[in-house]
Amino acid sequence: MSRLLKPIDKILDKTQTDLDNMLIERVQQPLGWVILMVGLYVGLLVLQLPDKLTAVLVLLLKTVGTFAVAWMLFRAIDVIISGLERFTAKTESEMDDHMIPLVKRILRVALISVA
């Protein structure tokens, strides 16, 4: 997976922030699973297996793919929150500092509920 992201890493190294690098690092493993599920799905369509078997395997791939995407988004929330923490550290108000953990929990619970 790291070979696929090598060109992206070179581009991201030129940016002023390290949040994009953190995002790629955090979602690398789940992104590999998503790519694997897409590849298996395409392979399944090419094989033209019996309809019932194909239906079961497609359902399995969609289920695992959904969990992989949810896992990827779950890990991306950490990077988003890190960016918010950096932003709120620059403000004078302490209210926003106390809101960050609440926003993080809400995002995670919403993601789990949707997944």
Side-chain angles (χ1 to χ4, degrees), residues 67-86:
F67 282 114
V69 169
W71 178 24
M72 187 170 61
L73 293 173
F74 194 83
R75 294 187 74 161
I77 288 172
D78 291 335
V79 178
I80 294 167
I81 295 301
S82 177
L84 286 174
E85 286 172 343
R86 290 179 187 183

Side-chain angles (χ1 to χ4, degrees), residues 88 91-103:
T88 59
T91 63
E92 293 179 18
S93 171
E94 289 188 27
M95 175 86 160
D96 51 5
D97 295 332
H98 296 295
M99 293 295 291
I100 296 294
L102 178 64
V103 170

Side-chain angles (χ1 to χ4, degrees), residues 8 13 28 33 59 93 106:
I8 295 173
D13 285 340
Q28 186 172 354
W33 278 94
L59 180 63
S93 171
I106 289 171

Side-chain angles (χ1 to χ4, degrees), residues 24-37:
I24 291 297
E25 181 183 321
R26 295 288 295 160
V27 301
Q28 186 172 354
Q29 189 175 9
L31 182 60
W33 278 94
V34 170
I35 292 171
L36 176 65
M37 293 302 112

Side-chain angles (χ1 to χ4, degrees), residues 77 100-112:
I77 288 172
I100 296 294
L102 178 64
V103 170
K104 183 176 183 178
R105 285 189 197 114
I106 289 171
L107 286 174
R108 286 185 167 179
V109 167
L111 176 64
I112 290 170

